[in-house]
Structures are given as structure tokens and as C-alpha cells.
Amino acid sequence: MRLPYLLLDIDGVLIPFPNEDGSTPATHVRHDVVPVGRSVDNPVTVWLNPDHGRLLMDVIHTGLVTPVWCTSWRQDATTLIGPLLGLPAFPHVDLPRPQITTSHPDGYLWKRDHVDGWLGDAPAVWIDDDFTSLDHAWAAERTACGTATLLVQPNPYFGLLSEHLTEATRWVAQLPAARAA
């Protein structure tokens, strides 16, 4: 059995959404970044928790997962966000740029069909803030059919917490491949 992928979203996970008053958690630091297609005169402001890099590296150093960005930031995740957190380069799921007005055009997360095809029969822990009950049913069906799948869903106003990574690590550690290693 191959190592499970650790699929990581960014918006709502590493970059929390602002509260009604526009504030973000005090743990997060402001950065201005210039994604592909933007000019230096028009950067994007993001708030990142510097502890996330260390926490993610702790999970990666277990050797139990293969980290992959799964975000609309695409390659910018590796070139802009990862370095701000001290993360090494890792691959990304090459998601399309759909013309949608909701993140759930079919009742489930727009990324899911692309991720499903990308994963094939690989096990995965997917951390994203935007799952619906249909996504959770999809993960349960994959697991029931022999492809272990865990969805971890942070609150988008707080983002990733150490408890989410503890849950992911404990889950991966109990998989047959982890016990065989």
C-alpha cells in the first residue's frame, strides 16, 4: 500500500477568512504576495500563522504521508505560500479554473471530481474547510471500497489547528501501510 497523500487547501485552512469585523486570528501575520497573473502593484494580502510550517513539517517528518497542495492557489502554493511557512516545495493537484459562482455547484466541493480522478485508488487525508455532507459520503464510500480516505474540515475563520494535524497523524498511523513500515 502506498503512502497516503496529505492534500492541503490554503484559503480557510492556512489563510483564515476574516470575521465580520474584518479581523483574523492574532496568531496570524500579514504578508503581501503576488500570484501568477497579478502585478507587483496589485498584490494579494494574506494572513499566515508561522507555527503552521513547523506543525506541517512534524507531520511530514513522520514519513507516513506525501504532502500535496490541493488549492486554487495551484503552483503559487509552492512558490508563494509554502516559503512563507518554511515549507519545502511539494507538488500540487492541477485544478482547473472553473467559471462557477459557488464552491458547491453540484452540491459538493468543486474540487472533488478532479481530486478523485487525480487520486485514483491512493489513500488520502484531505484538509479543506469547504466540504459538504456529499463530500463526507464520498470519503466514506471510498473507505468502504478499500481506499482509506479522511476529510478534515477546519473552521474557516480559525483555520488549521494542531488538533486537525493530530487527528490526521493518528488516522494515518493506524493504516495497514503504516503498521507494516
Side-chain angles (χ1 to χ4, degrees), residues 25-98:
T27 52
H28 289 63
V29 177
R30 179 188 167 133
H31 301 272
D32 288 328
V33 297
V34 182
V36 169
R38 301 282 288 240
S39 73
V40 293
D41 299 333
N42 189 20
V44 173
T45 300
V46 298
W47 289 264
L48 296 167
N49 181 338
D51 289 339
H52 282 159
R54 178 187 50 79
L55 294 170
L56 286 165
M57 287 307 297
D58 287 349
V59 174
I60 293 165
H61 282 139
T62 67
L64 297 174
V65 296
T66 300
V68 176
W69 293 113
C70 186
T71 172
S72 59
W73 284 81
R74 295 166 189 84
Q75 183 60 31
D76 286 331
T78 293
T79 59
L80 298 177
I81 304 302
L84 291 172
L85 295 172
L87 296 173
F90 38 88
H92 68 281
V93 176
D94 192 19
L95 296 170
R97 297 182 190 274

Side-chain angles (χ1 to χ4, degrees), residues 93-117:
V93 176
D94 192 19
L95 296 170
R97 297 182 190 274
Q99 298 300 311
I100 55 177
T101 57
T102 174
S103 58
H104 309 110
D106 298 310
Y108 54 87
L109 184 58
W110 70 271
K111 301 175 194 176
R112 193 182 85 202
D113 291 336
H114 307 286
V115 167
D116 191 44

